[in-house]
Amino acid sequence: MTSIEPEADGLRVTLVKDGRTEIVRAAYVIGAEGGHSVTRHSMHERLDGETYRGRYIVADVEAHLPIPPGRGRVVVGPEGFVLFSPLPGKRWLIFVNRDEVDQRDQPPAAAALAALVNSRVGTDIGLADLRWSRSSKCRGDRRPC
């Protein structure tokens, strides 16, 4: 998706795949791409809130958690935090803070990510099947990270 523009009867969404451009008309668009998203910028409105300073990893993983289906959870401990948001099956979208000394731009490999999450939670949660992960750095200056 490269742009979203309002029209009289909905939205005009421009998609590009393999070098081909396609225009789609939609009644609404749901965006979950984060602070620099096309969806957020297409709103042309300021969103209130603050950005937490730090370095984070976002990932789609399988994990065995004692959390009721359809519920998320944030675990905060002495080492940091992990946010767990449910996905279909036993999959979770996780958001975990990196250690202050970890200044790498790339997210860790699956084993290192599992160790990081387990250190935040305090137990082995059986993290497996890492489908994708991203690393982000937030400045904490009220701009999206």
Side-chain angles (χ1 to χ4, degrees):
M1 182 169 57
T2 60
S3 70
I4 304 169
E5 297 298 327
E7 291 189 334
D9 60 344
L11 300 166
R12 180 179 190 255
V13 181
T14 304
L15 306 171
V16 177
K17 183 175 181 183
D18 298 329
R20 292 185 11 233
T21 300
E22 179 181 353
I23 305 298
V24 176
R25 289 184 168 63
Y28 57 89
V29 174
I30 298 174
E33 315 113 296
H36 296 293
S37 72
V38 172
T39 306
R40 182 174 287 191
H41 289 288
S42 73
M43 294 169 54
H44 305 289
E45 293 183 28
R46 178 167 160 42
L47 299 177
D48 290 331
E50 295 185 28
T51 299
Y52 294 104
R53 184 178 184 87
R55 298 176 66 80
Y56 306 95
I57 299 157
V58 182
D60 175 345
V61 298
E62 182 179 309
H64 303 284
L65 302 169
I67 300 173
R71 303 261 172 94
R73 174 96 21 115
V74 177
V75 178
V76 180
E79 301 297 319
F81 73 91
V82 184
L83 178 143
F84 296 95
S85 182
L87 295 171
K90 293 181 182 178
R91 303 205 62 79
W92 297 87
L93 180 69
I94 62 168
F95 187 85
V96 59
N97 71 302
R98 291 186 106 142
D99 293 324
E100 294 257 342
V101 297
D102 183 355
Q103 295 298 311
R104 293 173 292 176
D105 289 331
Q106 296 299 316
L113 179 59
L116 180 67
V117 170
N118 291 343
S119 75
R120 302 304 190 247
V121 175
T123 189
D124 184 351
I125 62 164
L127 193 137
D129 191 23
L130 172 62
R131 290 207 177 147
W132 62 263
S133 63
R134 290 212 172 96
S135 182
S136 67
K137 178 180 180 182
C138 298
R139 299 172 296 272
D141 57 5
R142 297 187 62 91
R143 290 182 287 173
C145 52

